[in-house]
Structure formats: C-alpha cells, structure tokens
Amino acid sequence: MKRVNISSVNEDQPILIPSHVKPLITCICLSLATMVSATEETHLSGAIFTTTPDGSIVNENVRYEGKKYVFLDGGPGPSASPYAAALPAGYYYFQVTDPSGKCLLSSKKEYADANGGTCYESSKKSGQKTSTFMAEPLKCRLFYFDGKGGVELQHSTYTTRTKVKGQWVETVHDCQHQLGSEFTGKYPDELPDGDTIQLFPFANTPNNGGVYKAWVSPKSKVHEACKLYEYDDIGYLTGEEEQCRGFFGFVPRWSKTDNFKVNLEKPAQSFDVALRKFHDKNLNCTLDNYEEYVKNWDYGVTPPMSPYMRKIFTTAEYEKKPTSFSVLGQEYLKWLVDEYMWDAYKYGVYPLNTPFTHFPSFADLRTYTPYHINGYVVKEFDKPFACTPNKYTYEYNVLSGGEVTDYGFVPGDYGSAKTVKYGEYEDPVLSLAFGNFGVAKLKVCKIFANGKETKYASPIKGWKFSLHIPKNVPIPSNINEYENYDTFKRLSQDPNFSPIYNRTVTKYADDYGCATFSVLVPNVVDSKYGYLEKYRVVEHPAYGWDINGYASYTFNVESKLTYDSYKKPIIRGEVVDVKGYKENDYTPYDMPYSYDQTLYFKNNCKIVADFDTKGYWHNKNGLAELTYEDKYYVNSLKPYQYPSKYFEAGDEPFDGKFYNGTYVAAAFSADGYEVWKAGTWQSEISHFLTDANSNADANYHKEQLAQQLLAFIFNTRHRPNAYGLSDYAQINTSGGYYTVAQIRDGAIAAWYGNDSAKIEYYTKLLDGLNNNDYVQIIPGDPKDCPKPYFE
C-alpha cells in the first residue's frame, strides 16, 4: 500500500490507498486539484501540533507524562513533516475535547480533575468517578500567532457578574495557561521553534483509550459560529451556549485539530513550600525551640522568570499550619522569596515590613514538619550581618532583589513532589525559615543645668559624645556595600540613621543639643570574659565646664516582638538596664529613662571675667570693641535717651552731633593723640566717659553713675568673650550674687530718682566691678560659657 498525505479537516491521520487502484490516481489527483482550487478560501490552511513545553518534540502522544506537559505549537516543529505548513498569522481560539468533539474538556483549574468534561453526566452513568464541571471561558483561550513561531496569549483575567442582595457584583478571575517560555524558565528565542501554549487546564477524557483532541479556530469564525460580532467582548462565554454552531463554536472546516494521549497512571502531585518567621531574640543565628513564631509577617514570592508577578503572602496565625505556596511544575526553576526587596521600586512595588526596625540574622531551607525545631536544614543561605564573622552578606543577597537570574533557590534540588490522595490535605514539602532581631536607637542630649529641672534646661549645641560598642556585638558594617543606605534611611523613617563601622562612634550635638545613635544590635551574646558586656556612652569634657550629673551611662539592648493595633508584628530593639556613673565614681546608679526616653548629660561652666574701667572704654582700644548694636542699645536706656544737664562736651543720645546739629569734637587721649574723629558717636561716648563732674552736687552725682553704668554695660556685652553675658548671668558682688539685669535695672532706677544714697551705692558698686580683674560669674545661659572646643 502506498501512503498519500492529504490534509484532513477533522483528523491528522493519513489516507491509505490500495495499489490496485493506482490507475485511478491521476484522475483522483486531478479531481483533488480541482476541488482544492474550488474550496481554497473555504478551509483553514496550515497545521497544528501538540508538543512538549519547549517545542522540541511534536506529536508526543503517550509519552506526555501529565496533562500539564501538553503544549500547542502553532507552526511545524522540528519533528513535524517537511511538507507541513504553519497557520496563517492572526488571532485564534483553542480548546480541548474528547476525540469525537462532543465533550468539551477545557476547564477552570479547580475542575481539571473532573472526568468527562461537559459529558460528566454520561461518565457518571458509565460508572466513572466524577464531579460537576465548569468550562473555561473562551477569553482565556485566545492567542495571537505571527505565522512563524511566535505566540502570545491575549488575556490574563476574565470577569464574572453575579447578583448579591439585588446588586450586580463583578469578580475578576485569573486565566491559568502558561507559555512554554514561562513554564521552562527560558527566553522565547531559546526555544527551538518559538514559543508554545499550555493546553492545561482540561478535564479527563471519557475516551477509553485516553485520547484527547486539540482544536484551533480563527477568532472571527468562532464569533461567527456563536453569532457574535468580530470585536465583541465575549466575557465569560465558554462555547457551550445554545447559539454556537459546530463543536462549541469551532466549525470543522474552519478548524485545525491534533489528537494526543496523556499517561494518567501517575496520580496528582503536590510540592508546596511553607513560609515561617521567627524572632531570633538571642541572636544566635539559629532556630531554637523556645523562640517566638511571628505571625502576619509579609513575604514577596516571585515565580521563575516573572519579576513583575510578585505576590504577597502573610505568615499564618498558627505555626503548625503555615502559609505556603506551590512550586509544582516549576520546582526545578529558580524562585525568589523576599521580606524587604530593596529594589522594589524598580518593579513598581512597595518594600515589605516597613518601617525597618530590624535586621535578618538567618535564612534557611529545611524539610517541613509541623513542629519547627524538627525540620532538617538542607540549605543555609548566606547569613547577613550578625551571623558570619568577617563575611557580612546582606539580606538583599539571600533570596531577593537584584537581577532575577542571579539569585533565588531551586526547590527541586532539596525535595521531591509528594503524592496527594483525593481530597486529602497534604503538608508542604519544604519550609523557608527566616530569623530577625530588632535594632535600637539611643538619643543623648547635653543640657545646661544651672539648678533647673531637666525639661526646662537649655540645650548646648556642638557637644561631643562617644558610644563604645562591646566587642561581642557584631557590627553591621557593610550597610553601604549594596548601596541601600539611602533606602534604609528612608524606609526606616529614621532621619538620624547612620551605619556603624567602628567600636567607638563619635557624634556632635545638633541645634537642640542632641545626637542619636542608631542600629544598636542586641548585646545578648556572652563575651569571652563570661559576662555580658554593656554598651557605654560618654560625654567629652571641655575646658571651663563642670559635670553636674552623670559622666557616663551603661546599658543593654534587647530585641522585642510586639504587635500594633492592626496585629502587624514589630521587631525592634530597646535600650534597657540603664545605669549612670558619676565622675571618678564607678559605682553604678539606676537611671531609668527620663521624659521622652532620652539620656541627659548635665553641665555648668565656670566663668571669671576681667572687667575694664571707664577709662579703657573711652580710649582707642575700648572704642574699637564697640558695635552699632551697642550704640542702639545704650541710646534706648533712660540715662542716655535725652540730653542731660551735666554733659557739656556733647549730649545724649550718642550720635556724634549736638542737639542743634553741630558736630561733636574729636576725642583725644591724655597725651594728646587723637582717639576718634569728630562727628562720630564713638567720640561722643569718649567725651561722656571723661566729662568733668564739676556740678555733681547739683545733679545728685547722676553723671558719675551714668558713666560707671555705661562702662558696666560695655563690660557685660563684651566680657568674658565677644558674646558677653546674658541678663540671667549672676555676678558676685560684696552683697552676694545678682543678675546682670538686676544690677543694670537697679542702677537705672536710682539714676531716674533723686535718692542720693541709692545713687552713691550703685556708683560705688559699678565702679568696683569695672575696676575688678577677677569678676566671678554664675552663668545664666549656655551662651555665657566658653564654646566646647574639643581636641
């Protein structure tokens, strides 16, 4: 017998022609040629083939090991007939039926184990175990074929509408088909004949020989068969509708088919990976049986080769039945699991578990058991920060981030798919266990005590602090290595965040007198000395300052797990067991947090000022120290606001001119040298300070008081440094300590009145201070003190 390959409309089987009819071949061929010519535009040209996921073998038939491994090739594959032609370029629907085409098998995924598809009632009568069946919408089975080897699924979801309490509610469902490139984890150009389409999900065929039929038909012809317009949105129509002609909308002459078989002897299989989070409170980088299980922790799971299909999973309420995800069918490809995903913004998603108050300590893959301590560890990922001395690898490098081809894990390398009995719950195969510990931050402030309560004291800017980190505490020194410093600073919502690189960290107080040390790792690991080494924070001493409180503090850092009002977990460190130490006294004092959980260093300064006489301020050096602010200030005070009766060489206020506009004469020193030019306010002040007091009795000696008060004002505005003294600074007088404001205002009040005794008292008081080279002062403000310059 001789084989003549004639393209069949419904089947892909060749026609056999006996040799004794050979004389008729010419006639038959002529007739066929005429027929093909006549029907050239009434049939779909080309051919389709079922194939393996990568398209390397076509017509695999009984060698398909499961329904998930049957894919559709829109053109001739490497093993196809050399005479086979591809489908024309265009949009097509596909379906799976039994060989007769009477039973639609293309199903929703949850009905893929049903027997008989739309013929499930007939299957049930024949004694087969069956269940109800729901076909998959045509929308999920629409693809575009470019006429060569490129295929592209057109829809990833479909929408259903149901009535709930009288209202129409729309629900979006996922389509379940994969391309061969997605299933294999390869790029389309790596496949031998372009991309392929997975036919699964579809129900089990009722055919006794286990035969299925794959169909492909142009979109326009299916719409025509179902009385739809070409561009109709077919929603969730399946082809079962009464108006659809042919086989569920697939008209034979406008369809291409291919029969195939699937080996269904293997039962369905399962391969799930559980996700678990544990609080590694003791920072030993291992999973202990007493450690807390963390619920409601978020993980991102990215399927192989699909960086934009990341899904979020949240750890379950109960550790014995954890959240899990399935890798079945892709267990030998790389999966990514992340709990932060530093490059999340690159993929348009938000990093998880923020704000960051924690760091990872371990990540491992282990065999699953309901009790977490029993699982056997099959892989330990690179341990970040705290767990591998001299080899700090960040969580970024564990299971997430970066290029998706560079990281990840292959589940099939560590476990095998399990058999699942019908309707029976099966435990996951593997468990991903992650450990985290909390990091703390500590705020320290420098305040000017001066007998005031802490919360009312003034802050001291620029003070130097040092934090000493115990040797047994691991330092996360590589936080910049993967350029995630800015990311962490932003997502930790900590503007003071800064990485720690050394055992001693030095910072300076900001404008509010405070500095914050962050990323303090728990010091829970015992040192080689056999006891727990503590953190220690100290202030640096400065010249001219005295400590008024604790000179240093020691403390421990503990990792704690709490939950917020939304039941979301928070793992963070806390500073505990704070003890303060007096200067030169190593006896510890309990020092709980005060006010806003800040440790305070209290200080006072010692001030001794060298005041100058009115003779100095009248001379060239004294006048050179004066400023316009000094001029405006003294002219605002009562003794100098208006012209007085006793000042003849000029008049008040000090502006360089007499009241009638005449310039004041130049000022000269006692030896005849010009001190300052005529017509200047400095010359007028010089004349005032040296003005004779010939009519003192008539003016109640007020000019002498005004002269000494002016020198005192200049002293307090320029001594002991250029910033002068605050009004609250206390000056030691023979009668005790009085503030600058009390002395100044008392002298002005005496000048304003006519009490000679008071005038004489303040004149002598001010004269004594102005002639004193060692004026003792109690500061009233940090600005009274010398700046805290540090070596």
Side-chain angles (χ1 to χ4, degrees):
M1 296 180 70
K2 184 175 180 181
R3 292 180 183 269
V4 179
N5 193 354
I6 299 177
S7 180
S8 172
V9 174
N10 294 321
E11 304 289 348
D12 61 351
Q13 301 299 320
I15 295 178
L16 301 181
I17 302 177
S19 59
H20 65 273
V21 297
K22 183 176 182 181
L24 298 176
I25 290 179
T26 303
C27 180
I28 292 173
C29 288
L30 180 60
S31 298
L32 286 173
T34 304
M35 181 178 68
V36 171
S37 175
T39 61
E40 187 174 16
E41 296 183 358
T42 59
H43 291 79
L44 179 63
S45 62
I48 64 167
F49 303 93
T50 56
T51 180
T52 50
D54 62 1
S56 61
I57 302 176
V58 298
N59 295 320
E60 183 77 347
N61 292 334
V62 295
R63 285 186 290 177
Y64 291 122
E65 294 184 356
K67 291 190 292 185
K68 293 183 179 181
Y69 299 95
V70 187
F71 281 68
L72 180 67
D73 191 338
S79 303
S81 166
Y83 304 104
L87 293 172
Y91 291 90
Y92 296 89
Y93 289 107
F94 67 85
Q95 70 176 356
V96 177
T97 69
D98 71 320
S100 71
K102 294 179 180 179
C103 306
L104 178 61
L105 303 177
S106 292
S107 68
K108 295 182 179 179
K109 189 174 182 180
E110 56 267 38
Y111 298 97
D113 289 332
N115 291 320
T118 55
C119 302
Y120 69 91
E121 289 292 347
S122 300
S123 300
K124 188 174 183 180
K125 291 178 183 177
S126 65
Q128 296 185 43
K129 187 175 182 180
T130 184
S131 61
T132 56
F133 170 83
M134 291 190 71
E136 179 188 47
L138 281 163
K139 192 171 185 177
C140 289
R141 295 182 264 132
L142 180 65
F143 70 96
Y144 176 77
F145 177 60
D146 64 6
K148 298 177 182 178
V151 293
E152 181 180 329
L153 288 165
Q154 297 302 296
H155 300 288
S156 60
T157 63
Y158 67 95
T159 304
T160 59
R161 296 179 73 232
T162 54
K163 221 168 192 180
V164 178
K165 295 182 179 179
Q167 299 292 325
W168 286 105
V169 177
E170 291 191 347
T171 306
V172 178
H173 308 271
D174 290 332
C175 296
Q176 302 294 333
H177 301 282
Q178 287 185 296
L179 295 176
S181 56
E182 295 173 330
F183 189 87
T184 61
K186 297 180 180 179
Y187 292 102
D189 57 6
E190 294 178 312
L191 303 180
D193 192 45
D195 227 331
T196 57
I197 299 175
Q198 186 185 47
L199 295 178
F200 186 83
F202 53 88
N204 300 329
T205 180
N207 180 269
N208 292 331
V211 180
Y212 297 80
K213 183 184 291 293
W215 299 65
V216 167
S217 189
K219 174 185 176 183
S220 60
K221 296 303 179 183
V222 174
H223 281 220
E224 182 181 314
C226 290
K227 298 180 182 181
L228 301 167
Y229 289 105
E230 168 70 15
Y231 299 104
D232 275 353
D233 181 359
I234 61 173
Y236 49 92
L237 299 180
T238 64
E240 301 172 90
E241 289 70 29
E242 290 183 3
Q243 74 269 22
C244 291
R245 294 186 294 110
F247 296 87
F248 307 102
F250 288 67
V251 178
R253 66 175 177 168
W254 290 114
S255 302
K256 287 296 176 181
T257 64
D258 187 25
N259 287 357
F260 63 90
K261 289 185 178 182
V262 176
N263 184 355
L264 293 180
E265 293 180 2
K266 291 186 177 181
Q269 294 180 313
S270 171
F271 196 153
D272 290 354
V273 179
L275 294 170
R276 286 164 156 166
K277 163 64 61 181
F278 297 97
H279 180 206
D280 191 16
K281 182 177 181 178
N282 61 2
L283 199 54
N284 66 348
C285 308
T286 58
L287 185 54
D288 303 310
N289 58 358
Y290 52 81
E291 285 183 338
E292 297 170 276
Y293 172 73
V294 183
K295 58 187 178 183
N296 296 329
W297 191 268
D298 293 330
Y299 285 110
V301 177
T302 305
M305 300 297 295
S306 304
Y308 298 100
M309 295 181 67
R310 174 173 176 251
K311 290 187 176 181
I312 308 303
F313 292 84
T314 302
T315 55
E317 291 281 337
Y318 303 101
E319 187 273 329
K320 294 180 182 179
K321 190 177 181 181
T323 297
S324 60
F325 63 96
S326 176
V327 299
L328 186 64
Q330 293 181 296
E331 59 264 38
Y332 287 98
L333 302 177
K334 283 187 177 181
W335 287 75
L336 302 177
V337 176
D338 67 87
E339 53 179 334
Y340 300 147
M341 198 171 183
W342 296 106
D343 55 356
Y345 291 120
K346 174 181 176 182
Y347 298 111
V349 297
Y350 195 80
L352 305 175
N353 308 304
T354 57
F356 295 157
T357 56
H358 48 263
F359 284 118
S361 60
F362 69 84
D364 61 43
L365 189 67
R366 58 185 63 215
T367 57
Y368 176 80
T369 59
Y371 300 93
H372 70 262
I373 61 172
N374 295 338
Y376 174 72
V377 176
V378 293
K379 179 176 176 59
E380 288 185 289
F381 297 98
D382 291 336
K383 294 180 179 179
F385 287 169
C387 300
T388 307
N390 304 319
K391 183 189 176 186
Y392 295 115
T393 2
Y394 206 39
E395 191 268 351
Y396 181 92
N397 215 13
V398 175
L399 293 175
S400 77
E403 295 298 325
V404 295
T405 55
D406 295 339
Y407 308 111
F409 71 104
V410 179
D413 289 347
Y414 311 103
S416 301
K418 285 185 177 182
T419 298
V420 179
K421 296 181 181 179
Y422 183 81
E424 182 179 314
Y425 173 78
E426 188 70 26
D427 285 336
V429 175
L430 297 172
S431 175
L432 271 172
F434 292 81
N436 285 73
F437 62 91
V439 292
K441 61 181 179 180
L442 176 69
K443 185 177 181 181
V444 294
C445 295
K446 168 66 68 173
I447 56 174
F448 180 69
N450 195 30
K452 300 177 182 177
E453 288 188 43
T454 302
K455 59 183 178 182
Y456 299 119
S458 302
I460 303 176
K461 178 181 176 181
W463 204 272
K464 186 178 181 181
F465 307 102
S466 286
L467 175 72
H468 300 283
I469 302 171
K471 292 181 180 179
N472 60 311
V473 173
I475 299 175
S477 60
N478 75 324
I479 197 162
N480 256 341
E481 184 174 346
Y482 295 101
E483 299 180 356
N484 50 33
Y485 167 79
D486 290 335
T487 301
F488 194 102
K489 185 171 184 176
R490 179 177 69 254
L491 297 175
S492 66
Q493 300 177 11
D494 183 1
N496 297 299
F497 173 84
S498 58
I500 293 175
Y501 297 104
N502 303 299
R503 291 290 167 189
T504 298
V505 183
T506 298
K507 290 194 174 186
Y508 293 86
D510 58 19
D511 291 345
Y512 301 97
C514 300
T516 300
F517 297 94
S518 53
V519 199
L520 304 183
V521 176
N523 59 323
V524 295
V525 181
D526 290 340
S527 72
K528 62 181 180 180
Y529 306 111
Y531 58 88
L532 198 67
E533 291 184 87
K534 285 193 170 188
Y535 280 88
R536 183 167 64 95
V537 62
V538 301
E539 65 161 354
H540 286 241
Y543 176 76
W545 290 82
D546 284 335
I547 296 173
N548 183 14
Y550 295 112
S552 66
Y553 296 92
T554 63
F555 59 90
N556 292 322
V557 175
E558 288 185 2
S559 179
K560 295 189 177 181
L561 169 64
T562 58
Y563 291 86
D564 64 15
S565 58
Y566 298 99
K567 296 185 178 180
K568 278 292 184 181
I570 301 172
I571 302 176
R572 61 184 168 198
E574 290 188 9
V575 173
V576 297
D577 302 327
V578 180
K579 295 187 182 298
Y581 291 81
K582 301 285 187 180
E583 188 178 19
N584 301 321
D585 184 357
Y586 298 100
T587 303
Y589 297 86
D590 286 334
M591 178 61 191
Y593 277 136
S594 56
Y595 306 107
D596 58 349
Q597 293 196 338
T598 300
L599 296 181
Y600 291 94
F601 290 96
K602 302 178 182 180
N603 288 73
N604 285 328
C605 68
K606 298 176 181 177
I607 303 177
V608 174
D610 180 4
F611 278 8
D612 287 293
T613 64
K614 65 176 185 174
Y616 170 81
W617 291 109
H618 113 83
N619 220 324
K620 189 171 186 177
N621 291 338
L623 293 174
E625 286 191 54
L626 301 182
T627 65
Y628 281 101
E629 286 74 17
D630 295 328
K631 167 193 166 184
Y632 297 137
Y633 177 72
V634 295
N635 283 339
S636 70
L637 302 177
K638 287 182 179 179
Y640 318 108
Q641 283 181 336
Y642 303 104
S644 60
K645 297 178 181 180
Y646 45 75
F647 185 22
E648 298 176 353
D651 59 20
E652 305 91 336
F654 306 118
D655 56 6
K657 293 181 288 186
F658 284 95
Y659 190 75
N660 60 10
T662 305
Y663 281 169
V664 172
F668 289 88
S669 62
D671 52 7
Y673 289 99
E674 185 180 84
V675 174
W676 221 268
K677 292 182 179 181
T680 60
W681 60 271
Q682 291 95 333
S683 293
E684 194 164 16
I685 284 177
S686 178
H687 288 308
F688 182 83
L689 290 173
T690 57
D691 194 48
N693 293 294
S694 56
N695 56 350
D697 290 337
N699 293 297
Y700 300 96
H701 298 272
K702 287 186 178 183
E703 183 173 17
Q704 290 175 301
L705 175 58
Q707 289 172 334
Q708 293 295 346
L709 175 61
L710 189 61
F712 175 77
I713 289 171
F714 292 155
N715 278 319
T716 56
R717 288 178 66 85
H718 294 276
R719 302 290 182 269
N721 53 53
Y723 297 99
L725 296 172
S726 67
D727 279 358
Y728 304 104
Q730 300 178 52
I731 297 176
N732 187 14
T733 68
S734 58
Y737 280 91
Y738 294 94
T739 67
V740 170
Q742 287 174 326
I743 296 173
R744 179 195 63 222
D745 295 345
I748 291 173
W751 177 91
Y752 199 67
N754 294 318
D755 188 335
S756 299
K758 278 189 177 181
I759 293 174
E760 182 180 2
Y761 168 78
Y762 276 104
T763 300
K764 289 183 179 180
L765 173 65
L766 295 174
D767 181 43
L769 292 174
N770 293 334
N771 282 276
N772 193 341
D773 297 335
Y774 197 82
V775 180
Q776 298 179 22
I777 300 168
I778 297 175
D781 188 274
K783 294 179 181 178
D784 295 335
C785 302
K787 283 189 175 182
Y789 294 104
F790 296 99
E791 63 284 346

